């Protein structure tokens, strides 16, 4: 038999192949399953870790929200059937937000916004939330709402869109906002104060990067300098002002930087764009940064252009003010430097119940209520320190029992730097009120008041007939009211007096209010009265039915004005004429020379080497030298010559009605010789000399200033010639 067979390897070959395939398939599937299981395990781990992180983040967010300074809200939308937002529901809120709403957090979550806070809808906040939720555009703003306690509250809130809702953060910024508003108000107040101060205020930078740049220029600076603020602020000095001003300011700035301190500058000229020159007195103050480096320079300037020209006008105004005070119906008084009363008027006696004899020394304190004595003493001490007028209301006791309220104003009388006394007024405000009521109640009381007035009061109708005049009017004119009432003005005065008054009567009867002075000489005595004519118009008509007359005796005031005018023309140190007196006398002498065709001479003197004496021995010795020099001049010259001190060591001599020109030259030579003798001044011996320039005048067409200029030129030539001599200008007839 034939046996045909195959090997086991061949018979089981397919089995082994399938087994290998199944084995590797299962192995690969197992590996895949294992990989998927590992991946799922890792993913589960990551998920658990993410959940943990999310919980920690949520807890952190909750802690941050609860600990935040902001109120935090999460609002979810409530939509109607049309999917429109009709309200919001509180989904979450922090503790500060709950406190802001005034409810516990648990009671707020789940509540509707507009039910819990209807103000949100009426105030427009609801619409803003809806807009942010629908558009997704964040909104940030600051706003003011009424606070719980009634005070205004400022809030800053930010609205951010979230899925189907909004997240809101709100912070109370009331403190910051109030500070900002207060800072802004203070800044506006400071700027307004600077702008409306009557002095020039400017600030410029001295930083290296913008040295000389102006940053402040107030309204007074615009008016004084003529440069508008928009042309100055932000610009450098060199771009704005003339070169001389720039150079001067640059020098001052360098001086300030080298030694930062307050500098009081001398009067300086400043040329405006229109060509006018103003003189400014400036105080410069350094402003430092936080490192004590000079950062800015503050300049405070006062326009003193008309100061010298106004001195005479100032004295005149002071005299007029003094005269007006003397004529005042107020109670007036004057004291010496120690406070002892030296003068009171009748009104003062009536108010206080004390006569001048009774108020001598400190007796006037009897009129002051005891409880106001200390107040008065404090006022006197304040006056001595401040030297400024003082006014307050004091209680007076008239005759020891009647209480009177009086307004008292006191001002120091300053002569140079010393207080020579005090002047004041007393106004009985109680009596004034009572008098005003009485005047309204009765015409009879009106006459009583009119009769007690120190002024003369009358009423004259359109026919020039007297219808009323008070007792003062009667006493002054020496007329009887009962006899003269109804008579015309012409019938009660002399023809000469009527000729003087008639033009004024005609004018007032045409409706013109007039004021004039009536000066008379009676039995060799000068009288002056200030007269007011006030027209009286018919009711609802322009027709003049008469006029009121008020006459006040101002004789004392006018005489005092003349005396004060003379005082203003004297130099207080030497007793010679000052610049104002010299100018007036020179004009008078030139007019006399021109009208009489008689020559006159003007000498301009300067003390040689006066400054070294002043610097070496001090101003007291310098003043003594000026006095001694003035006395020698008076002893050397004629009594008719006018000697004036213009200021410092400058003197002038006016010699009118000179016979020969050589006589004036001889006097000049004599003055030079006399001044060569040493001066003994309280144990100090000094030697000086004098230089003289002289010019002549006799009617030619030349002004007083030009004549002074000629003499000044001659003085300069005398100094150039070595001093201690004189020079004479060529005479021009």
């Amino acid at each position: 038999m034939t046996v045909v067979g195959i090997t086991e390897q061949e018979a089981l070959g397919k089995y082994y192949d399938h087994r290998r395939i199944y084995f590797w398939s299962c192995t690969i599937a197992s590996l895949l399953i294992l990989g998927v299981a590992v991946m799922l395990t890792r993913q589960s781990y990551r998920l658990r870790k993410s959940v943990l992180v999310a919980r920690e983040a949520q807890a952190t967010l909750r802690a941050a929200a609860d600990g935040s300074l902001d109120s935090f809200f999460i609002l979810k939308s409530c939509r109607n059937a049309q999917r429109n937002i009709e309200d919001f529901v509180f989904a979450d809120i922090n503790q500060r937000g709950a406190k802001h709403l005034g409810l516990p957090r648990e009671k707020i979550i789940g509540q509707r916004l507009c039910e819990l806070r209807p103000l949100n809808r009426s105030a427009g906040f609801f619409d803003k939330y809806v807009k942010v939720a629908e558009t997704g555009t964040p909104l940030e703003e600051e706003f003011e709402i009424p606070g719980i306690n009634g005070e205004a509250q400022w809030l800053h809130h930010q609205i951010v869109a979230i899925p189907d809702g909004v997240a809101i953060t709100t912070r109370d910024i009331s403190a910051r906002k109030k500070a900002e508003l207060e800072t802004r108000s203070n800044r506006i107040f400071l700027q307004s104060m600077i702008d409306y101060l009557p002095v020039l205020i400017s600030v410029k930078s001295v930083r290296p990067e913008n040295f000389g740049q102006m940053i402040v220029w107030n309204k007074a600076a615009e008016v004084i300098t003529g440069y508008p603020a928009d042309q100055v602020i932000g610009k450098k000095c060199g771009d704005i002002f003339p070169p001389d001003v720039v150079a001067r300011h640059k020098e001052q700035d360098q001086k300030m930087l080298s030694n930062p301190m307050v500098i009081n500058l001398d009067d300086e000229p400043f040329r405006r764009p229109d060509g006018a020159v103003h003189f400014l007195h400036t105080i410069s103050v350094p402003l430092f940064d936080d490192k004590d480096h000079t950062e800015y320079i503050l300049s405070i300037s006062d326009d003193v252009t008309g100061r010298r020209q106004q001195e005479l006008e100032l004295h005149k105004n002071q005299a007029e003010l003094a005269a007006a005070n003397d004529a005042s119906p107020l109670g007036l008084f004057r004291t010496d430097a120690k406070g002892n009363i030296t003068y009171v008027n009748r009104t003062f006696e009536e108010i206080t119940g004390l006569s001048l004899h009774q108020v001598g020394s400190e007796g006037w304190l009897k009129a002051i209520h005891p409880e106001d004595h200390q107040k008065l003493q404090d006022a006197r001490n304040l006056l001595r320190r401040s030297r400024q007028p003082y006014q307050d209301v004091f209680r007076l006791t008239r005759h020891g029992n009647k209480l009177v309220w009086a307004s008292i104003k006191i001002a120091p009388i300053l002569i140079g730097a010393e207080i020579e006394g005090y002047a004041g007024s007393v106004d009985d405000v109680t009596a004034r009120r009572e008098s005003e009521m009485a005047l309204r109640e009765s015409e009879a009381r009106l006459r009583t008041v009119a009769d007690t007035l120190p002024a003369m009061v009358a009423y004259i109708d359109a026919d020039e007939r007297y219808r009323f005049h008070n007792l003062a009017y009667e006493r002054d004119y020496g007329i009887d009211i009962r006899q003269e009432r109804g008579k015309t003005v012409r019938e009660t005065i002399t023809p000469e007096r009527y000729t003087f008054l008639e033009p004024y009567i005609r004018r007032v009867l045409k409706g013109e209010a007039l004021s004039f002075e009536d000066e008379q000489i009676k039995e060799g005595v000068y009288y002056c009265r200030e007269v007011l004519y006030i027209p009286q118009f018919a009711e609802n008509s322009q027709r003049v039915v008469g006029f009121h007359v008020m006459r006040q005796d101002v004789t004392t005031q006018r005489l005092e004005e003349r005396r004060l005018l003379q005082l203003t023309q004297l130099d207080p140190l030497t007793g010679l004429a000052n610049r104002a007196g010299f100018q007036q006398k020179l004009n008078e002498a030139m007019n006399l020379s021109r009208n009489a065709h008689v020559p006159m001479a003007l000498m301009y003197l300067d003390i040689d080497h006066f400054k070294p004496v002043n610097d070496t021995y001090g101003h007291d010795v310098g003043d003594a030298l000026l006095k001694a020099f003035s006395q020698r001049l008076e002893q050397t010259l004629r009594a008719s010559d006018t000697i004036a001190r213009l200021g410092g060591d400058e003197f002038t001599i006016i010699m009118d009605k000179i016979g020969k020109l050589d006589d004036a030259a001889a006097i000049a030579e004599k003055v030079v010789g006399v001044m060569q003798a040493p001066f003994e001044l309280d144990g100090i011996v000094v030697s000086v000399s004098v230089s003289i320039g002289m010019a002549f005048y006799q009617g030619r067409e030349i002004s007083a200033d030009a004549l002074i200029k000629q003499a000044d030129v001659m003085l300069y030539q005398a100094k150039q010639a070595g001093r201690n001599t004189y020079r004479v200008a060529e005479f021009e007839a």
Side-chain angles (χ1 to χ4, degrees):
M1 58 187 291
T2 300
V3 180
V4 179
I6 59 176
T7 64
E8 183 181 358
Q9 184 73 24
E10 292 177 352
L12 298 176
K14 290 183 179 180
Y15 167 77
Y16 289 136
D17 290 339
H18 288 145
R19 190 179 66 171
R20 283 196 301 271
I21 291 172
Y22 294 151
F23 175 76
W24 287 111
S25 296
C26 290
T27 300
I28 292 172
S30 299
L31 290 175
L32 289 175
I33 292 171
L34 179 62
V36 171
V38 170
M39 184 176 64
L40 291 176
T41 302
R42 291 183 65 186
Q43 193 70 18
S44 176
Y45 172 75
R46 290 177 180 176
L47 181 60
R48 287 196 301 274
K49 187 176 181 181
S50 297
V51 171
L52 180 61
V53 171
R55 288 176 180 174
E56 290 178 352
Q58 186 175 10
T60 302
L61 178 62
R62 168 59 56 195
D66 288 340
S68 173
L69 296 176
D70 297 336
S71 299
F72 179 73
F73 309 87
I74 294 180
L75 304 179
K76 289 293 185 177
S77 304
C78 293
R79 299 181 182 270
N80 55 20
Q82 290 76 28
R83 300 301 296 166
N84 295 325
I85 299 176
E86 62 181 9
D87 204 345
F88 289 92
V89 174
F90 286 95
D92 196 3
I93 185 172
N94 67 350
Q95 293 297 335
R96 187 173 293 274
K99 183 178 180 181
H100 177 73
L101 295 178
L103 292 173
R105 178 175 176 274
E106 296 76 14
K107 292 186 178 181
I108 296 175
I109 295 177
Q111 294 286 330
R112 284 178 174 257
L113 171 68
C114 294
E115 292 178 357
L116 188 64
R117 297 280 288 181
L119 178 64
N120 281 274
R121 187 182 295 275
S122 61
F125 293 108
F126 175 78
D127 296 335
K128 295 178 183 178
Y129 302 159
V130 172
K131 184 177 180 180
V132 172
E134 291 179 345
T135 64
T137 303
L139 175 64
E140 184 176 1
E141 63 179 354
E142 296 178 355
F143 56 92
E144 183 181 11
I145 62 171
I148 299 176
N149 57 358
E151 295 184 359
Q153 185 179 20
W154 281 90
L155 300 177
H156 174 277
H157 76 177
Q158 186 176 20
I159 311 170
V160 180
I162 60 174
D164 199 26
V166 292
I168 304 169
T169 56
T170 304
R171 175 174 293 187
D172 188 344
I173 59 170
S174 300
R176 175 176 65 81
K177 202 68 177 179
K178 289 179 181 178
E180 289 178 358
L181 294 175
E182 184 176 356
T183 301
R184 187 182 307 164
S185 176
N186 291 339
R187 186 181 298 112
I188 294 173
F189 169 76
L190 180 59
Q191 185 62 43
S192 299
M193 182 178 68
I194 291 175
D195 279 343
Y196 291 99
L197 281 175
V199 293
L200 185 155
I201 303 293
S202 66
V203 177
K204 62 183 172 184
S205 173
V206 290
R207 293 176 174 177
E209 64 271 16
N210 56 354
F211 189 91
Q213 186 180 65
M214 286 291 180
I215 62 173
V216 174
W217 193 257
N218 71 343
K219 294 185 181 298
E222 294 181 332
V223 174
I224 293 172
T225 66
Y227 287 91
D230 56 2
Q231 294 182 10
V232 176
I233 294 178
K235 306 290 182 59
K236 294 186 178 181
C237 293
D239 301 331
I240 311 166
F241 304 124
D244 59 329
V245 175
V246 174
R248 187 166 60 244
H249 284 193
K250 184 176 181 181
E251 180 182 354
Q252 294 168 358
D253 294 344
Q254 295 298 336
K255 183 178 179 181
M256 175 71 75
L257 291 175
S258 62
N259 184 19
M261 61 181 295
V262 177
I263 300 177
N264 193 343
L265 301 174
D266 295 332
D267 298 349
E268 297 178 342
F270 185 95
R271 185 174 296 277
R272 290 165 47 94
D274 58 9
V277 177
H278 284 229
F279 284 86
L280 304 179
H281 181 80
T282 304
I283 296 177
S284 291
V285 181
L287 304 179
F288 303 99
D289 59 13
D290 54 359
K291 297 181 180 178
D292 288 337
H293 295 154
T294 304
E295 186 175 16
Y296 301 102
I297 295 179
L298 166 66
S299 296
I300 306 171
S301 303
D302 188 17
D303 187 354
V304 295
T305 307
R307 180 176 58 190
R308 296 176 182 175
Q309 292 81 357
Q310 292 174 353
E311 287 181 353
L312 182 60
E313 186 66 24
L314 177 61
H315 289 303
K316 180 180 178 181
N317 291 340
Q318 289 174 341
E320 291 176 353
L321 180 60
N325 286 336
D326 286 341
S328 172
L330 301 174
L332 305 179
F333 63 92
R334 187 182 302 129
T335 76
D336 59 19
K338 296 181 179 180
N340 300 321
I341 285 190
T342 58
Y343 164 81
V344 298
N345 68 348
R346 181 178 301 177
T347 308
F348 181 93
E349 295 178 348
E350 293 173 355
I351 293 175
T352 63
L354 301 173
S355 65
L356 177 61
H357 175 72
Q358 293 172 316
V359 299
S361 185
E362 294 287 341
W364 71 297
L365 291 175
K366 298 176 182 176
I368 303 296
H369 194 281
E371 295 180 3
D372 284 352
H373 281 187
Q374 185 59 46
K375 180 180 178 181
L376 180 62
Q377 185 59 42
D378 294 341
R380 294 168 67 177
N381 295 335
L382 179 62
L383 274 168
R384 293 191 185 98
R385 293 194 308 269
S386 67
R387 302 190 175 195
Q388 297 296 319
Y390 172 87
Q391 184 174 8
D392 206 342
V393 176
F394 291 83
R395 288 171 292 179
L396 308 181
T397 52
R398 184 183 298 160
H399 304 301
N401 52 16
K402 184 177 180 181
L403 182 64
V404 176
W405 288 90
S407 175
I408 299 179
K409 183 173 184 179
I410 308 173
I413 302 172
L414 297 174
I415 305 298
E418 299 296 325
I419 297 178
E420 295 296 324
Y422 301 89
S425 63
V426 179
D427 187 8
D428 183 356
V429 294
T430 305
R432 181 166 55 193
R433 293 171 185 168
E434 294 175 352
S435 298
E436 289 174 353
M437 294 177 60
L439 286 172
R440 297 190 187 99
E441 294 174 358
S442 172
E443 183 179 355
R445 292 186 180 180
L446 175 62
R447 167 162 293 283
T448 302
V449 173
D451 286 342
T452 58
L453 286 173
M456 294 165 280
V457 180
Y459 175 76
I460 301 173
D461 63 17
D463 296 329
E464 300 184 24
R465 295 186 182 276
Y466 283 100
R467 296 304 179 187
F468 170 83
H469 45 290
N470 67 348
L471 292 177
Y473 205 103
E474 178 181 357
R475 288 192 298 268
D476 187 74
Y477 277 83
I479 59 177
D480 188 295
I481 294 178
R482 292 169 297 180
Q483 296 178 0
E484 303 298 335
R485 184 174 297 167
K487 289 186 178 182
T488 64
V489 176
R490 186 189 297 270
E491 292 173 344
T492 57
I493 60 177
T494 64
E496 293 79 8
R497 291 285 301 144
Y498 185 80
T499 301
F500 170 77
L501 295 175
E502 184 179 15
Y504 298 104
I505 295 175
R506 295 286 174 264
R507 290 168 62 186
V508 73
L509 289 177
K510 291 180 181 179
E512 181 181 358
L514 303 173
S515 175
F516 60 95
E517 289 189 353
D518 184 4
E519 296 179 307
Q520 300 181 65
I521 303 294
K522 293 182 179 180
E523 299 178 357
V525 179
Y526 170 79
Y527 295 91
C528 182
R529 293 174 178 80
E530 186 177 65
V531 184
L532 292 177
Y533 279 4
I534 304 172
Q536 176 67 52
F537 295 92
E539 187 175 0
N540 301 324
S541 173
Q542 293 300 316
R543 182 173 61 88
V544 178
V545 296
F547 61 98
H548 301 274
V549 181
M550 181 172 288
R551 301 171 62 89
Q552 286 186 315
D553 188 348
V554 293
T555 304
T556 303
Q557 294 93 303
R558 295 297 174 263
L559 293 176
E560 182 67 7
E561 287 175 2
R562 294 180 182 180
R563 186 184 70 83
L564 292 177
L565 181 59
Q566 292 178 350
L567 289 177
T568 60
Q569 296 181 349
L570 294 179
D571 177 51
L573 178 64
T574 62
L576 302 177
N578 61 9
R579 186 178 293 273
F582 159 72
Q583 196 71 44
Q584 179 178 344
K585 181 59 180 177
L586 179 59
N587 291 330
E588 293 174 357
M590 292 178 69
N591 291 333
L592 177 62
S593 174
R594 182 170 52 251
N595 296 332
H597 303 286
V598 177
M600 60 157 287
L602 172 63
M603 297 185 191
Y604 208 129
L605 292 74
D606 195 323
I607 301 177
D608 300 329
H609 313 300
F610 174 78
K611 188 175 185 302
V613 174
N614 219 19
D615 294 342
T616 302
Y617 300 106
H619 292 290
D620 291 341
V621 173
D623 290 346
L625 176 57
L626 291 173
K627 292 179 182 179
F629 184 87
S630 302
Q631 291 172 359
R632 283 194 189 179
L633 280 180
E634 291 179 317
Q635 295 168 1
T636 305
L637 299 173
R638 304 177 303 176
S640 60
D641 297 334
T642 299
I643 308 172
R645 177 182 173 231
L646 303 187
D649 60 336
E650 295 182 352
F651 293 80
T652 58
I653 300 172
I654 301 173
M655 302 179 64
D656 53 5
K657 298 179 182 179
I658 58 176
K660 295 183 299 181
L661 303 184
D662 292 340
D663 294 342
I667 293 177
E669 184 175 359
K670 182 179 179 181
V671 171
V672 171
V674 167
M675 295 306 172
Q676 293 175 352
F679 289 85
E680 184 174 354
L681 309 170
D682 295 330
I684 298 174
V685 178
V686 298
S687 295
V688 295
S689 58
V690 66
S691 297
I692 303 175
M694 184 162 56
F696 296 100
Y697 175 80
Q698 187 178 340
R700 56 195 171 98
E701 291 297 326
I702 185 175
S703 66
D705 290 341
L707 184 63
I708 296 172
K709 182 66 176 178
Q710 284 186 356
D712 189 28
V713 170
M714 292 300 102
L715 173 61
Y716 178 79
Q717 292 184 7
K719 289 183 177 181
Q720 290 295 104
R723 293 185 170 88
N724 193 28
T725 186
Y726 69 94
R727 290 291 183 269
V728 182
E730 184 178 351
F731 176 72
E732 297 180 22

